Amino acid sequence: MLPVCDLENDFVHLEPFSDALKEEVRAALDHDPDAWSGMVSAGYGPHFDVWWASALKAMASGSRIAYAVRSKVDNAVVGTTSLYEIKPEHLRCEIGSTFYRPSSRGSAVNPAAKILLLEHAFNHGMVRVEIITDANNAASQAAIRKLGAVYEGTLRKHKRTWTGRMRDTVQFAVLDDDYPTVRQGLIQRLDRFRQATGLVS
């Protein structure tokens, strides 16, 4: 079982969901309704409370660890991400349910969060971490490829989104064998952000 704990580096602080974080997460997610269209459930505006309750229920069952992503640039919660579909018997989990407010996209936030999640999973016995996205979401696919995850195929009519559309899902994965190379790539990306911002670790 993956332990539920804070994860932190120079760029972000990942905080497991708690009641104290609810309103900060609500504010971070109430952006860009179109970006939610490919997801199974929506977390913006009027959908938030049901989405939040579902995340806490999954955490209680041990199948998900949902995190608020706090940027160290301004100490604000800028989005959310999760380790979910946690399957200890198969040493497998997914990274997903990721959403960042538009102003944080393209920044150090995503690679900084991903390296923390991957490190946590592999340090606690996982051998496979999957990352999936809507086949219609070219930007998300590009971001996942940039992480170094391996494309494994497209699952047709794989999930029904909250709007009722049957989506094709593009599946990527990082194996424990892949992770040293993926980790090095992420470190290099974050080093470039450090140099650009003058951040010293």
Side-chain angles (χ1 to χ4, degrees):
M1 187 64 66
L2 295 176
V4 179
C5 58
D6 287 28
L7 306 174
E8 188 171 8
N9 57 26
D10 291 339
F11 299 94
V12 295
H13 182 191
L14 305 189
E15 303 173 45
F17 279 8
S18 67
D19 289 341
L21 290 166
K22 184 175 181 179
E23 294 310 312
E24 286 186 279
V25 174
R26 184 196 301 274
L29 270 52
D30 197 16
H31 297 274
D32 196 5
D34 289 345
W36 291 96
S37 63
M39 297 191 182
V40 174
S41 58
Y44 73 92
H47 308 283
F48 177 79
D49 287 315
V50 171
W51 181 92
W52 176 264
S54 177
L56 292 185
K57 182 177 179 180
M59 289 183 71
S61 75
S63 65
R64 176 177 179 182
I65 308 173
Y67 296 95
V69 180
R70 189 178 300 280
S71 171
K72 291 197 171 178
V73 171
D74 56 8
N75 202 39
V77 172
V78 297
T80 183
T81 193
S82 293
L83 290 166
Y84 75 120
E85 293 293 330
I86 299 169
K87 304 290 185 184
E89 68 273 24
H90 299 304
L91 306 181
R92 175 178 68 81
C93 66
E94 293 181 20
I95 293 174
S97 195
T98 300
F99 180 91
Y100 301 120
R101 68 186 187 191
S103 61
S104 294
R105 298 172 194 167
S107 72
V109 166
N110 188 52
K114 290 297 193 295
I115 197 171
L116 288 171
L117 296 172
L118 289 165
E119 196 91 348
H120 191 59
F122 290 124
N123 282 350
H124 290 92
M126 298 292 107
V127 302
R128 174 181 173 84
V129 178
E130 298 173 358
I131 311 175
I132 65 175
T133 191
D134 187 350
N136 289 345
N137 192 336
S140 178
Q141 291 174 56
I144 295 168
R145 291 179 190 275
K146 194 172 182 179
L147 293 172
V150 175
Y151 169 72
E152 296 185 326
T154 300
L155 307 177
R156 297 176 299 163
K157 292 188 175 181
H158 178 239
K159 290 192 173 188
R160 187 169 66 176
T161 71
W162 69 275
T163 65
R165 176 174 63 89
M166 293 303 303
R167 85 172 200 191
D168 294 345
T169 292
V170 181
Q171 180 162 302
F172 299 83
V174 179
L175 305 185
D176 54 349
D177 302 321
D178 306 326
Y179 183 55
T181 300
V182 170
R183 182 177 184 274
Q184 187 58 37
L186 288 168
I187 288 171
Q188 290 172 354
R189 284 178 66 187
L190 293 173
D191 282 345
R192 289 194 289 272
F193 279 111
R194 282 192 184 89
Q195 292 167 7
T197 60
L199 179 67
V200 178
S201 58

